[in-house]
Amino acid sequence: MLTLYLPRDAAALAVGANAVARALKDEAARRGVEIRLIRTGSRGMAWLEPLLEMEQEGERLGFGPLAPEDVPELLDNFDTHPKSLGKIDEIPFFNRQTRLTFARCGVNDPLNLDAYRAAGGLNGLEHALRLSPEEIIRDITESGLRGRGGAGFPTGIKWETVYKANGTRKYIVCNADEGDSGTFADRMLIEGDPFLLIEGMAIAARAVGAARGYVYLRSEYPQAHATLSQALQIARRAGVLNRAFDIEIRLGAGAYVCGEETALLNSMEGKRGVVRAKPPLPAHAGFLNCPTVVNNVLTLAAAPTIMARGAGFYRDFGLGRSRGTIPVQIAGNVRRGGLFETAFGMTLAELVTDIAGGTATGRPVKAVQVGGPLGAYFPPYKFTTPLCYEAFDDQGGLIGHAGMVVFDETADMLALARFAMEFCALESCGKCTPCRIGAVRGTETLDRLRAGDPAARPLIEDLCETMREGSLCALGGFTPYPVLSALRHFPEDFTPVQEAAQ
Amino acid sequence: MTQTDTLAQIRAIAMSHAQAEGPLLPLLHAVQDRFGHIPAEALPEIAQVLNISDAELRGVISFYHDFRDAPPGRRILRLCRAEACQAMGAPALIERILAHLGLERPGTTDDGALTVEFAYCLGLCACAPAALLDGLPLGRLTDAALRTALEEPQC
Ligand SMILES: Cc1cc2nc3c(=O)[nH]c(=O)nc-3n(C[C@H](O)[C@H](O)[C@H](O)COP(=O)(O)O)c2cc1C
Ligand code: FES
């Protein structure tokens, strides 16, 4: 019997994994070969998807990217197939990673709770259940874990605030809105290892004394929704979720701003996803006015590792005040795109050149946008910046959810700056004027710049300052990052048309 | 389906959500899953069951991009136009696709076969350009691949 593994992660499905699965089953049946095909999450090597794995003497051998046409030849001879990649563990993109959060992702059937346990799953929760809330919070604080949703807020302090807040009803809300372009780590984790998120939320619940959790999941992720729904049922049947703590999914409805935690809470309450003024913090008055932990998927998914292996183990990875690992998502115009989990501190150059192998088109890299639609565009001469919160801050950028979008030399930076303004206008919740009106004016002003109006340039700079200083949340407040970084680092793209013609 | 059937169904959906903490979004999703859009006649029913004003309800529905006030085409194509897809040529691809479908902007084709919507990231950014066709992901999209997908029978 041949044991094979093939992802059913959305990215693998998007490039034909189901057609490969059908071809494998049909061809095996035709030949009378018995195969066991286990559908898994993804290893995160997106350029190799659909990536088939075969188990041989305890090793996993990889084959990809596969098309259904490859299957007959593959079954004839695995060893010399042109799409053979050798051992998965030895693929450089894979073996240069430090996989803590994504250690299990892509290895097994994500809904097999026994396999999850066998691979060390639930050890963290079991340990946490033996500790007092104070001890859990102490460990999380000592691990140095900071929020992976964007703002990098220390997780231990957030949990402690909710723990100490008055109120009998408290909530754990997992932010799975993942709206940033270039990011997909939350989706991959939910599709590939959903029990890890459930375990992390249960640990958080234990720490702060919450009986109910919600996962606010974006509606653009139907596969993640299906997997997580099934995982919750399985966890309930196995008693991992129970009367003391249970989790429900809430679907978003296509509003980017609902990733902002207070807009998210309004949305969960059935209101328009409008940002709330802080204070009060969600930790004091969150969902339905109760003390609420709002954490990103990856933040919560880091908790089981910290519980199971110790705060010191986690803290030993990283750079400066950025501790642990960060799943970098490499996307856009790259040769090798996907998820690369690594300790903080790698430089952009290493990531873009060595790991990603440059652009897919083979043209020189022009810019990399880090941190989603509110993140700055980095030109190649700034690629020495190490990936950590502080260094990015110094460079006028942000790590955000650690998405990197690579552009080749054909990128039109003025068009990208305009898109940033257009996106902000489209997604603004409307509560504050700098964001709501500023973004519309920004789009118009960039159009004037394109048309050759030299007065538009100082106006844009001035407008960006108003948006940065005066917006209620980071949507309006950070849209100036992509706009101004494009303007500063790529001035040639902003030369008015007439001037350029002269 | 008669008007009274529709109303009864909407009422049943609304009642089944009424006890949830923050029932409105799950309720609206359930109505749209059932009818493909939020029918105008649903509004008074929902407002009454949840005891909210008509203005509040309309305010919520109009805030979210997902909710439609008219039935969509038989299939729904969501094309990503966010940055990672742009880096792989999405703007030009989208322009060609719309032209091929005879659409000037996102919307429904005249024959009612297809509704095209824009999306802003589908989490498929490492295999851009990307789209969702009736909820099924499509990546490394080319004109030819997309046309083939659109011609394949609906599953
Ligand atoms: C416009 C906007 C969008 C955001 N989108 C997300 C998101 O999709 N996912 C997320 O986890 N955090 C997002 N955030 C950050 C959240 O407000 C919040 O900081 C985070 O969920 C806290 O969790 P953490 O401490 O685990 O990072 C967004 C913030 C802003 C201003
Ligand atoms: S940017 Fe298109 S899928 Fe993410």
Side-chain angles (χ1 to χ4, degrees):
Chain A
M1 167 107 93
L2 203 54
T3 304
L4 300 170
Y5 299 84
L6 184 71
R8 61 179 177 81
D9 174 278
L13 298 182
V15 293
N18 278 349
V20 172
R22 267 196 305 275
L24 278 166
K25 284 187 182 153
D26 292 350
E27 189 64 22
R30 212 174 57 78
R31 299 175 181 216
V33 183
E34 241 190 288
I35 60 165
R36 193 160 76 108
L37 181 63
I38 297 169
R39 302 303 293 272
T40 62
S42 169
R43 298 276 196 168
M45 294 185 277
W47 83 100
L48 295 176
E49 296 288 3
L51 170 54
L52 182 75
E53 295 181 23
M54 182 175 68
E55 201 159 68
Q56 203 175 62
E57 290 154 19
E59 301 270 14
R60 292 283 187 89
L61 305 177
F63 305 87
L66 282 190
E69 306 82 85
D70 294 321
V71 166
E73 199 187 330
L74 190 69
L75 289 179
D76 284 342
N77 194 345
F78 273 95
D79 297 335
T80 59
H81 195 276
K83 295 212 175 151
S84 166
L85 302 162
K87 292 177 189 165
I88 290 286
D89 292 346
E90 290 174 2
I91 298 175
F93 187 98
F94 198 76
N95 78 6
R96 291 185 64 178
Q97 300 187 44
T98 304
R99 286 213 161 199
L100 303 182
T101 299
F102 283 83
R104 270 174 298 251
C105 192
V107 177
N108 227 315
D109 174 358
L111 292 172
N112 184 337
L113 188 57
D114 294 329
Y116 181 70
R117 258 186 236 273
L122 297 178
N123 285 351
L125 177 59
E126 275 154 23
H127 181 66
L129 292 177
R130 289 192 292 268
L131 300 181
S132 68
E134 290 90 347
E135 287 168 323
I136 300 174
I137 290 165
R138 183 204 58 207
D139 284 357
I140 295 292
T141 306
E142 283 180 2
S143 76
L145 177 65
R146 293 167 66 178
R148 300 288 187 247
F153 189 81
T155 307
I157 295 178
K158 188 179 280 187
W159 290 14
E160 186 169 15
T161 311
V162 176
Y163 170 64
K164 289 189 173 153
N166 292 322
T168 48
R169 228 165 19 129
K170 295 177 181 177
Y171 292 98
I172 307 296
V173 171
C174 168
N175 189 341
D177 201 46
E178 197 164 61
D180 290 0
S181 166
T183 67
F184 42 85
D186 297 350
R187 179 186 64 64
M188 258 185 66
L189 189 102
I190 291 174
E191 292 181 12
D193 199 11
F195 295 125
L196 185 67
L197 174 60
I198 295 172
E199 183 180 353
M201 289 179 72
I203 292 168
R206 166 79 179 174
V208 306
R212 192 149 193 88
Y214 287 94
V215 178
Y216 188 90
L217 179 67
R218 67 201 301 252
S219 60
E220 289 86 343
Y221 286 178
Q223 287 73 30
H225 183 207
T227 303
L228 186 59
S229 305
Q230 284 173 283
L232 289 174
Q233 274 179 15
I234 294 165
R236 247 172 242 136
R237 247 180 275 137
V240 176
L241 294 175
N242 47 42
R243 285 232 302 283
F245 181 67
D246 204 346
I247 299 172
E248 196 183 303
I249 303 173
R250 282 299 166 87
L251 275 191
Y256 175 74
V257 74
C258 287
E260 195 282 332
E261 56 186 2
T262 61
L264 184 153
L265 293 168
N266 276 336
S267 180
M268 280 185 43
E269 291 177 6
K271 299 178 185 147
R272 294 164 68 90
V274 171
V275 173
R276 299 175 183 173
K278 292 188 224 177
L281 295 171
H284 289 126
F287 184 49
L288 302 173
N289 233 6
C290 301
T292 303
V293 170
V294 183
N295 271 143
N296 176 252
V297 174
L298 302 179
T299 313
L300 291 160
T305 305
I306 295 164
M307 286 293 115
R309 304 177 77 170
F313 170 81
Y314 195 79
R315 195 185 48 231
D316 282 347
F317 298 96
L319 181 73
R321 293 203 304 113
S322 307
R323 309 310 314 172
T325 59
I326 178 92
V328 181
Q329 299 129 83
I330 308 173
N333 194 336
V334 277
R335 223 167 83 187
R336 293 187 290 269
L339 181 133
F340 188 90
E341 183 174 353
T342 175
F344 282 98
M346 265 183 126
T347 64
L348 280 178
E350 283 174 281
L351 287 162
V352 175
T353 313
D354 302 353
I355 305 298
T359 62
T361 44
R363 297 195 188 97
V365 174
K366 178 167 184 177
V368 175
Q369 186 180 30
V370 185
L374 309 176
Y377 286 101
F378 282 75
Y381 66 83
K382 287 201 162 202
F383 284 3
T384 47
T385 313
L387 199 68
C388 70
Y389 296 111
E390 292 73 27
F392 266 65
D393 215 25
D394 290 346
Q395 293 295 328
L398 53 106
I399 296 186
H401 192 45
M404 290 182 18
V405 179
V406 179
F407 293 82
D408 77 6
E409 62 182 3
T410 61
D412 174 348
M413 302 312 292
L414 173 51
L416 288 165
R418 186 191 189 281
F419 178 81
M421 284 290 188
E422 184 194 342
F423 183 70
C424 180
L426 185 71
E427 299 297 331
S428 174
C429 80
K431 180 147 172 167
C432 70
T433 317
C435 172
R436 184 185 67 239
I437 308 284
V440 178
R441 294 289 169 264
T443 318
E444 295 163 359
T445 312
L446 286 168
D447 285 341
R448 277 170 54 191
L449 193 63
R450 167 85 80 196
D453 178 357
R457 192 187 159 119
L459 265 181
I460 269 290
E461 306 227 7
D462 193 50
L463 179 66
C464 280
E465 192 177 318
T466 305
M467 288 176 72
R468 196 172 54 212
E469 302 294 321
S471 297
L472 193 57
C473 84
L475 180 51
F478 289 5
T479 292
Y481 278 146
V483 176
L484 291 179
S485 59
L487 193 65
R488 300 242 158 86
H489 304 316
F490 306 92
E492 62 284 3
D493 284 14
F494 289 80
T495 317
V497 194
Q498 286 136 354
E499 232 177 87
Q502 275 164 14
Chain B
M1 204 184 329
T2 67
Q3 173 84 1
T4 26
D5 282 348
T6 308
L7 287 182
Q9 281 190 34
I10 289 165
R11 200 165 184 83
I13 293 173
M15 302 283 271
S16 74
H17 285 86
Q19 298 312 313
E21 295 180 316
L24 186 50
L25 252 65
L27 191 165
L28 291 173
H29 273 300
V31 171
Q32 182 151 303
D33 283 349
R34 174 66 192 79
F35 297 97
H37 69 297
I38 312 283
E41 61 265 37
L43 303 190
E45 296 292 323
I46 297 170
Q48 196 191 19
V49 172
L50 297 188
N51 195 21
I52 55 178
S53 73
D54 183 59
E56 192 180 345
L57 179 57
R58 284 173 197 271
V60 171
I61 294 173
S62 63
F63 182 86
Y64 294 96
H65 301 303
D66 277 5
F67 299 127
R68 297 183 200 96
D69 57 8
R74 289 186 290 283
R75 307 190 78 179
I76 297 173
L77 176 67
R78 305 186 71 181
L79 294 167
C80 177
R81 67 183 291 255
E83 288 89 338
C85 287
Q86 288 184 37
M88 289 301 281
L93 178 78
I94 290 172
E95 217 170 280
R96 289 193 303 271
I97 290 297
L98 289 177
H100 171 71
L101 294 166
L103 291 171
E104 265 173 51
R105 59 184 73 84
T108 304
T109 53
D110 286 340
D111 59 1
L114 182 74
T115 292
V116 179
E117 296 174 344
F118 285 157
Y120 294 86
C121 193
L122 301 166
L124 304 168
C125 336
C127 14
L132 279 184
L133 179 59
D134 294 329
L136 290 176
L138 299 171
R140 297 182 201 143
L141 212 53
T142 58
D143 296 69
L146 187 52
R147 284 184 206 185
T148 311
L150 288 172
E151 277 153 23
E152 267 170 23
Q154 206 165 338
C155 38

